[in-house]
Amino acid sequence: MSAPHVPVLLQEVVEALQIRPGDVVVDGTFGAGGYTRALLEVGAGRVIAFDRDPDAIEQGRSLVPNTNLTLVEERFSLMDRVLAERGIGPVDAIALDIGVSSMQLDRADRGFSFSADGPLDMRMGQSGPTAADFLNEADEAEIVRVLRDYGEEPRARAIARAIIANRPVERTGELAAIVRRAVGYRQGMKSDPATRTFQAIRIHLNAELEELEEGLEAAERSLKPGGRLAVVTFHSLEDRIVKRFFRERSGATPAGSRHRPVAVQGPAPTFEKVAKPVGPSEDEVARNPRSRSARLRSAVRTAAPVWQNTSGVTK
Ligand SMILES: C[S@@+](CC[C@H](N)C(=O)[O-])C[C@H]1O[C@@H](n2cnc3c(N)ncnc32)[C@H](O)[C@@H]1O
């Protein structure tokens, strides 16, 4: 049995979303339903909860029938389409809690973690190519790019070569051992280098940064004027995307490139009241070490029309 997922920055997210009785709210990352439960408790009239993982939706069925909760197995980047299909108008608040849940991490058969040996899977949505498919088919340059871009791994080339020399790689334990050997890891070293490789492959396989960018734009299309958006991220690559999105959309930085002439007026800001980023309290980190790197950013939707999409993960 995996440990239940402990919601991160829960109070802070609920506060940022300023739920009023009867509000219609999207929980874009249902997970174990921690945010959804809290949102219903503080008076949300309806929660539409998304998760791309069929297991999360299946487990969430224990909360249903709750006439105020609708569970949707789908990616949050498609939330505006799903809401429109179901005849649900612009919503009052949206929460996104990016990344993997404890249930996903702790189940060896999902292949997200190197602490317990399992098949190299790592697919949140449980369809499409697995991590093993990627590692056994990609060329060296592609593996290097993924490890550098999504794991900020300085020894990417050595690791990629070692993976290719040891193909086929099928188990999480095998991959962790290959990475440790390639970078000369010894017990007692500060951090296990396999962490970066596993993070990188997971982000690549699930297109997590693209999903985040597209999810923010979908949220912009889905919120009513005055609607609140709260986003929790777990590492700097994700946080940078959210920070940049709120900066641009609130008019704090000119949209597009710095080569754009200064005189050109950008579109009207779609977000305002961008809050300072919030991290976990010492107490929360002590209770739940996985919250350590969490960061919440939030803002309020204006009445301005949505911007042209700008997706395209930039670093
Ligand atoms: C950190 S957990 C959320 C935990 C939840 N807030 C709670 O309190 O239980 C992230 C969840 O989001 C899901 N997820 C990640 N990316 C997604 C996406 N693009 N669309 C829908 N769900 C996604 C994962 O499958 C996982 O279940």
Side-chain angles (χ1 to χ4, degrees):
M1 258 312 269
S2 61
H5 180 90
V6 181
V8 170
L9 290 171
L10 179 64
Q11 275 322 312
E12 292 83 350
V13 167
V14 170
E15 255 167 53
L17 293 178
Q18 300 165 48
I19 303 300
R20 290 171 297 228
D23 272 358
V24 178
V25 185
V26 166
D27 178 351
T29 47
F30 178 75
Y35 285 8
T36 286
R37 267 192 213 91
L39 292 165
L40 290 167
E41 272 166 27
V42 296
R46 180 168 189 190
V47 175
I48 301 99
F50 292 77
D51 205 296
R52 70 195 294 187
D53 185 343
D55 285 358
I57 296 295
E58 189 49 43
Q59 286 179 26
R61 300 252 170 249
S62 60
L63 292 176
V64 177
N66 172 333
T67 44
N68 299 333
L69 172 60
T70 307
L71 285 172
V72 185
E73 184 191 320
E74 189 49 274
R75 288 176 288 134
F76 56 62
S77 57
L78 299 177
M79 69 172 86
D80 54 326
R81 210 181 291 175
V82 172
L83 295 175
E85 279 165 11
R86 295 178 181 230
I88 305 167
V91 300
D92 299 288
I94 298 174
L96 294 177
D97 183 14
I98 302 306
V100 275
S101 69
S102 303
M103 289 102 64
Q104 290 165 331
L105 272 177
D106 293 346
R107 269 186 44 193
D109 62 319
R110 298 298 303 271
F112 284 105
S113 165
F114 54 87
S115 336
D117 186 44
L120 259 177
D121 189 314
M122 295 199 205
R123 297 167 304 168
M124 284 182 183
Q126 301 189 29
S127 62
T130 62
D133 293 335
F134 166 67
L135 290 176
N136 292 325
E137 286 160 23
D139 63 22
E140 185 182 309
E142 175 68 351
I143 299 175
V144 169
R145 183 189 71 77
V146 166
L147 298 183
R148 284 206 181 124
D149 285 1
Y150 305 138
E152 297 175 314
E153 173 55 66
R155 307 289 307 279
R157 191 161 300 280
I159 295 171
R161 285 195 178 139
I163 289 170
I164 288 169
N166 284 280
R167 282 174 177 176
V169 186
E170 304 288 355
R171 312 281 302 174
T172 56
E174 272 177 270
L175 177 61
I178 290 168
V179 174
R180 290 175 189 139
R181 270 200 310 275
V183 305
Y185 173 72
R186 286 178 312 281
Q187 285 273 309
M189 274 176 141
K190 216 166 97 203
S191 65
D192 192 323
T195 314
R196 288 195 295 272
T197 291
F198 273 67
Q199 172 190 297
I201 296 169
R202 192 201 87 205
I203 290 177
H204 167 69
L205 206 66
N206 295 289
E208 290 180 41
L209 302 187
E210 290 84 350
E211 264 300 305
L212 176 55
E213 290 208 329
E214 289 167 22
L216 294 170
E217 288 168 0
E220 180 188 55
R221 293 192 292 273
S222 305
L223 280 171
K224 59 170 68 155
R228 286 81 59 199
L229 171 60
V231 189
V232 174
T233 60
F234 285 85
H235 54 76
S236 56
L237 295 172
E238 297 166 344
D239 182 52
R240 212 179 296 164
I241 290 172
V242 184
K243 180 177 167 183
R244 197 200 62 205
F245 177 81
F246 279 146
R247 265 212 198 143
E248 271 185 15
R249 298 306 216 251
S250 64
T253 51
S257 81
R258 62 198 145 95
H259 308 297
R260 180 191 278 259
V262 189
V264 174
Q265 185 79 40
T270 49
F271 282 93
E272 61 182 358
K273 300 180 186 155
V274 178
K276 287 213 169 68
V278 177
S281 62
E282 277 178 28
D283 188 45
E284 177 164 7
V285 176
R287 273 184 288 115
N288 180 15
R290 278 180 185 170
S291 70
R292 202 175 34 241
S293 54
R295 186 169 277 234
L296 162 67
R297 292 185 188 267
S298 62
V300 177
R301 181 76 168 87
T302 68
V306 297
W307 287 23
Q308 293 294 326
N309 287 358
T310 53
S311 285
V313 175
T314 45
K315 296 188 70 272

